[in-house]
Amino acid sequence: MPGCIFCDIIEGKLSCYMIYQDDDCIVILDRYPIDNGHSLIITKKPYEKLTDMSVDEISKLFSKIPKIVNAIIKATNADAFSIAQNNGKAAKQIIPHVHIHIIPRYNTTGTLWTKRKILDDSELDKLALTTKNYLE
């Protein structure tokens, strides 16, 4: 997709804080997280919506969630997590490329959906490394 930030990340044109990748997807830390450890599972193929994917591709994508979530929870000491997946502008899909939000949740911060933080590179580097270690 021309002008797609996720395509540019997948192609190595833009940097990211990657915590996992395989033949079908990458998992990166969100640069503007709702909460500490907020990550995105992004399809490598540039689908805009889930409905553009086959049932097998969707199943394969969602089957990765437990492994990723377990590593994020261990790395962040989160108490719980939320999963979000938006399809289309009306659903608040900002980047038209299939991705799943994994948002760690903490008893001390409550559950917010719109407040975003800005983390510095050293915080993101440290969290990415810690999370990767739990995936190995």
Side-chain angles (χ1 to χ4, degrees), residues 32-52:
Y32 307 104
I34 291 173
D35 222 329
N36 186 43
H38 180 170
S39 300
L40 306 171
I41 303 175
I42 304 165
T43 59
K44 284 190 173 176
K45 289 184 181 176
Y47 297 114
E48 182 176 344
K49 300 174 186 170
L50 283 180
T51 51
D52 298 331

Side-chain angles (χ1 to χ4, degrees), residues 54-123:
S54 72
V55 171
D56 287 342
E57 289 170 313
I58 294 168
S59 297
K60 199 170 183 182
L61 177 66
F62 276 80
S63 73
K64 299 169 196 297
I65 291 173
K67 177 180 180 174
I68 303 301
V69 166
N70 285 328
I72 292 168
I73 287 178
K74 287 175 185 171
T76 61
N77 292 311
D79 298 301
F81 65 95
S82 296
I83 294 173
Q85 203 286 316
N86 305 317
N87 292 274
K89 281 187 177 184
K92 305 299 183 210
Q93 182 182 16
I94 297 167
I95 300 171
H97 187 127
V98 170
H99 59 287
I100 302 167
H101 294 262
I102 297 174
I103 307 163
R105 299 300 190 169
Y106 304 88
N107 291 328
T108 57
T109 59
T111 303
L112 301 172
W113 281 102
T114 56
K115 184 180 175 189
R116 297 277 183 146
K117 299 175 184 179
I118 298 177
L119 300 178
D120 64 39
D121 289 340
S122 64
E123 291 174 296

Side-chain angles (χ1 to χ4, degrees), residues 1-11 14 31 95-97:
M1 267 181 239
C4 172
I5 191 169
F6 290 161
C7 292
D8 288 346
I9 289 170
I10 291 163
E11 292 169 12
L14 289 175
R31 281 196 181 266
I95 300 171
H97 187 127

Side-chain angles (χ1 to χ4, degrees), residues 1-33:
M1 267 181 239
C4 172
I5 191 169
F6 290 161
C7 292
D8 288 346
I9 289 170
I10 291 163
E11 292 169 12
K13 295 177 184 174
L14 289 175
S15 64
C16 68
Y17 297 92
M18 190 177 313
I19 59 176
Y20 176 81
Q21 77 169 316
D22 60 24
D23 292 339
D24 305 309
C25 73
I26 63 169
V27 182
I28 64 172
L29 293 174
D30 193 308
R31 281 196 181 266
Y32 307 104

